[in-house]
Amino acid sequence: MAQDVKITIIDREGVSHEVEAPTDMNMNIMELVRAYELAPEGTIGICGGMAMCASCQCYVLNDVTLPEKSDDEEAMLSEAFNVKDNSRLGCQLHITKALEGLKLELAPE
Ligand code: FES
């Protein structure tokens, strides 16, 4: 569909999934991972997308330009485990056309 973008997500087992992500449903990456069941229930999205749990942390693997981190996202990532330079919170990444081709890896639980 024209409204979809392709996003590649490597799950916590190292398996790569190329998924179609709708840009017209006001979804974020955390919700996308849940919708495709790429992480077990209860291991992602614990705070409901409020940038308060870091269970949706992922690593950005390619140079697709993403929106800047908000102060809330910065603050959460400064306290989370396994944070790398390319860490983002999936729940803070809204799916838009700009995310076409994005490749992500889910951070460990
Ligand atoms: S779902 Fe909790 S920080 Fe993203």
Side-chain angles (χ1 to χ4, degrees), residues 30 45-56 76 89-91:
M30 176 273 282
I46 292 165
C47 74
M50 307 288 285
M52 287 172 68
C53 72
S55 67
C56 63
M76 187 64 243
L89 294 179
C91 69

Side-chain angles (χ1 to χ4, degrees), residues 54-98:
S55 67
C56 63
Q57 184 190 171
C58 46
Y59 307 123
V60 177
L61 301 181
N62 58 1
D63 59 2
V64 169
T65 309
L66 298 173
E68 296 284 304
K69 292 179 199 135
S70 67
D71 291 348
D72 287 348
E73 183 176 357
E74 290 274 13
M76 187 64 243
L77 284 172
S78 72
E79 292 171 17
F81 295 107
N82 303 308
V83 174
K84 302 184 193 176
D85 287 346
N86 59 346
S87 287
R88 294 296 302 253
L89 294 179
C91 69
Q92 303 301 302
L93 294 175
H94 289 276
I95 299 169
T96 63
K97 286 232 184 294

Side-chain angles (χ1 to χ4, degrees), residues 3-56:
Q3 256 94 332
D4 289 355
V5 290
K6 278 199 181 23
I7 297 182
T8 302
I9 299 171
I10 300 173
D11 68 22
R12 291 174 180 145
E13 257 83 69
V15 181
S16 179
H17 307 264
E18 191 185 87
V19 300
E20 303 267 339
T23 57
D24 58 352
M25 288 177 65
N26 197 23
M27 275 176 94
N28 61 51
I29 295 289
M30 176 273 282
E31 291 165 336
L32 184 73
V33 171
R34 288 169 62 128
Y36 281 97
E37 298 179 353
L38 302 181
E41 193 61 45
T43 66
I44 185 164
I46 292 165
C47 74
M50 307 288 285
M52 287 172 68
C53 72
S55 67
C56 63

